[in-house]
Amino acid sequence: MTKLAQWLWGLALLGCTWAALATGALGLELPPSCREVLWPLPAYLLVAAGCYALGTVGYRVDTFHDCEDAARELQSQIREARADLARRGLRF
Amino acid sequence: MASEEASGGSRRSRREPEGRVPRQDKYSVLLPTYNERENLPLIVWLLVRSFSESGINYEIIIIDDGSPDGTRDVAEQLERIYGSDTILLRPREKKLGLGTAYIHGMKHATGNYIIIMDADLSHHPKFIPEFIRKQKEGNFDIVSGTRYKGNGGVYGWDLKRKIISRGANFITQILLRPGASDLTGSFRLYRKEVLQKLIENCVSKGYVFQMEMIVRARQLNYTIGEVPISFVDRVYGESKLGGNEIVSFLKGLLTLFATT
C-alpha cells in the first residue's frame, strides 16, 4: 500500500468514526458535554498539528548545528593540500 | 588489513554470489564532476590522506561530463601523481544525469563497496572511515551521512536556508516515514550490489533521486545506518535556493508519496 493510500485509509477511518459518534448515527446516547467536544475536534486537531509542526521546525532550526570548526579545518587543509600538490608537480 | 578480512568475511551477507569470496574489502569512491577544476585536486588529496591514514583499500573513480573548464586535464595530472590503480578516469562526452554517472562509474569499480559524495568539498572524506566502521558494526547495506542528527550540521547557511531545509525535511518525514533522518543527502556508502539494484529501480532526477534511493531501499528491506556529518557549503552564496528547486522538490516528494 502506498503512503498516500495509508493516509487516505487512516483519515477515512477516523473521519467515519468521528461522523458516526458526532451525529449519533450509531444510536449511541453520548452526554452533551462529550458531543460539545467531539464536534469541533477535527478543527482542534488540525490547529494542534499546525502548532506541533511549527514548534518542531522552529526548535530544529534553532538547534541546527553550525559547523564553524569544520569550515576552519577545511580552510587549513586546503592550504596544506595546495602546497603538497604543487610539490608533487600539479599545475593548478 | 587482516582484521578487516576477518570481520568482513564472517558476517558477509547472503547476497554475495557463491564461489567468489573477496579476500579484502575494497572501497570505490565515485566522483561525478562538472566544472570542478579548482576542487578536484583538493578532494582527491583529502581522500588519499583519509584512506592512507586508515589503511583502507580503495580507488577513486572520476566521472567527468566533458567539463569545459579543464577539469579533465587536472584529473589526468592527478592520475599521474597518484597512479592509475588509485585514480581511475572514466569521463563522458557531455553532461548526463547523476544516476547514469553512478552506473557508468560502477561498471569500472573493482571494489565491493561504493561511496558516493560531492566533489565540491561540501563532504569531507574524514567521515569515510566512520562510515566504514558503522557499516561493519551493524552489517548495514547502506550508511548515510546525516546533517540533522547527532553532531551533524551545516556551515554557511543563513536562517532562511535552514528553515527551508528543516521544513522540507519535516514534511518528508511525516509523509514518507523513511527511517532515515537526511533523505536529500548524497554522502553515502553502499554495498555495490545494493546500489546497482536501487539505481535500476529509481526513476527521479536531482535530489529527489537521492530521496528515492532511500525510500526504495526501505521497500526492498535493505538496512540503513547513519553517521552524523558536517556539510560545509561554500557554494550557497552563489547559488541561492530558488523557487524552481523548491517546486520540483515538492513535486518529487508528492510523487514518491503517491507511488511508494
Side-chain angles (χ1 to χ4, degrees):
Chain A
M1 197 190 280
T2 65
K3 293 287 181 296
L4 176 61
Q6 286 173 7
W7 273 77
L8 290 175
W9 268 109
L11 287 172
L13 205 63
L14 289 173
C16 287
T17 314
W18 172 80
L21 290 174
T23 60
L26 295 176
L28 285 168
E29 287 299 319
L30 287 171
S33 57
C34 255
R35 285 173 147 240
E36 264 173 39
V37 172
L38 209 55
W39 264 114
L41 198 61
Y44 285 159
L45 288 177
L46 211 59
V47 173
C51 291
Y52 169 76
L54 284 175
T56 306
V57 174
Y59 173 74
R60 288 177 181 173
V61 168
D62 192 48
T63 56
F64 208 159
H65 195 221
D66 272 314
C67 309
E68 312 264 321
D69 294 338
R72 259 196 304 272
E73 181 190 46
L74 184 64
Q75 284 310 313
S76 80
Q77 284 177 337
I78 287 175
R79 279 194 294 274
E80 200 185 330
R82 291 184 77 97
D84 188 38
L85 286 166
R87 256 196 319 270
R88 292 180 192 238
L90 189 81
R91 286 170 293 108
F92 282 95
Chain B
M1 302 283 192
S3 58
E4 239 117 21
E5 183 190 319
S7 58
S10 56
R11 285 187 299 162
R12 191 56 42 88
S13 91
R14 57 237 181 254
R15 292 183 189 93
E16 284 291 350
E18 294 284 352
R20 181 176 71 87
V21 179
R23 297 270 140 225
Q24 188 182 44
D25 291 326
K26 185 171 182 184
Y27 298 84
S28 303
V29 180
L30 299 185
L31 277 184
T33 60
Y34 190 71
N35 285 344
E36 292 290 2
R37 191 208 170 88
E38 294 286 319
N39 292 325
L40 185 59
L42 305 171
I43 191 80
V44 166
W45 187 87
L46 289 170
L47 279 165
V48 169
R49 197 163 88 154
S50 292
F51 282 120
S52 311
E53 279 175 1
S54 319
I56 296 168
N57 193 10
Y58 73 103
E59 62 185 358
I60 301 171
I61 303 173
I62 301 174
I63 304 135
D64 184 52
D65 282 356
S67 299
D69 73 341
T71 303
R72 181 147 174 200
D73 170 64
V74 164
E76 283 167 3
Q77 290 188 57
L78 289 166
E79 187 190 28
R80 270 198 298 280
I81 292 173
Y82 289 110
S84 53
D85 283 341
T86 303
I87 312 276
L88 277 66
L89 301 189
R90 299 292 178 263
R92 302 191 298 181
E93 292 302 311
K94 58 181 185 145
K95 197 167 201 289
L96 302 168
L98 202 56
T100 50
Y102 292 155
I103 294 172
H104 183 78
M106 270 196 293
K107 277 205 270 279
H108 306 282
T110 59
N112 52 335
Y113 290 95
I114 308 279
I115 293 162
I116 63 162
M117 60 189 296
D118 290 349
D120 61 1
L121 297 174
S122 50
H123 295 144
H124 198 301
K126 71 179 178 187
F127 292 106
I128 294 179
E130 288 182 43
F131 282 22
I132 294 173
R133 203 174 312 130
K134 183 79 188 187
Q135 191 279 323
K136 298 227 171 290
E137 189 183 285
N139 200 20
F140 293 111
D141 297 308
I142 303 172
V143 175
S144 178
T146 173
R147 296 160 292 176
Y148 299 133
K149 250 169 68 170
N151 58 351
V154 179
Y155 176 82
W157 281 2
D158 59 9
L159 186 65
K160 178 177 160 202
R161 182 71 181 87
K162 285 186 189 177
I163 290 174
I164 295 174
S165 179
R166 283 296 201 176
N169 185 254
F170 179 80
I171 298 172
T172 307
Q173 295 292 327
I174 297 275
L175 290 182
L176 299 182
R177 302 193 312 273
S181 60
D182 192 345
L183 280 219
T184 53
S186 52
F187 192 6
R188 298 183 186 150
L189 166 69
Y190 292 86
R191 278 192 219 275
K192 187 175 176 182
E193 60 274 18
V194 169
L195 183 59
Q196 268 163 342
K197 186 81 193 273
L198 288 176
I199 293 193
E200 274 167 35
N201 284 310
C202 287
V203 296
S204 351
K205 313 250 174 278
Y207 34 3
V208 183
F209 170 64
Q210 302 291 358
M211 283 168 55
E212 193 185 352
M213 299 259 262
I214 296 284
V215 170
R216 300 264 171 231
R218 297 289 283 174
Q219 274 185 327
L220 295 168
N221 286 319
Y222 290 132
T223 52
I224 303 172
E226 293 194 294
V227 168
I229 57 161
S230 50
F231 180 93
V232 178
D233 196 342
R234 304 151 81 221
V235 166
Y236 174 54
E238 299 144 34
S239 62
K240 306 277 176 198
L241 194 65
N244 274 334
E245 293 196 310
I246 296 182
V247 165
S248 68
F249 167 81
L250 287 173
K251 271 169 43 182
L253 177 60
L254 290 174
T255 308
L256 285 176
F257 178 60
T259 57
T260 60

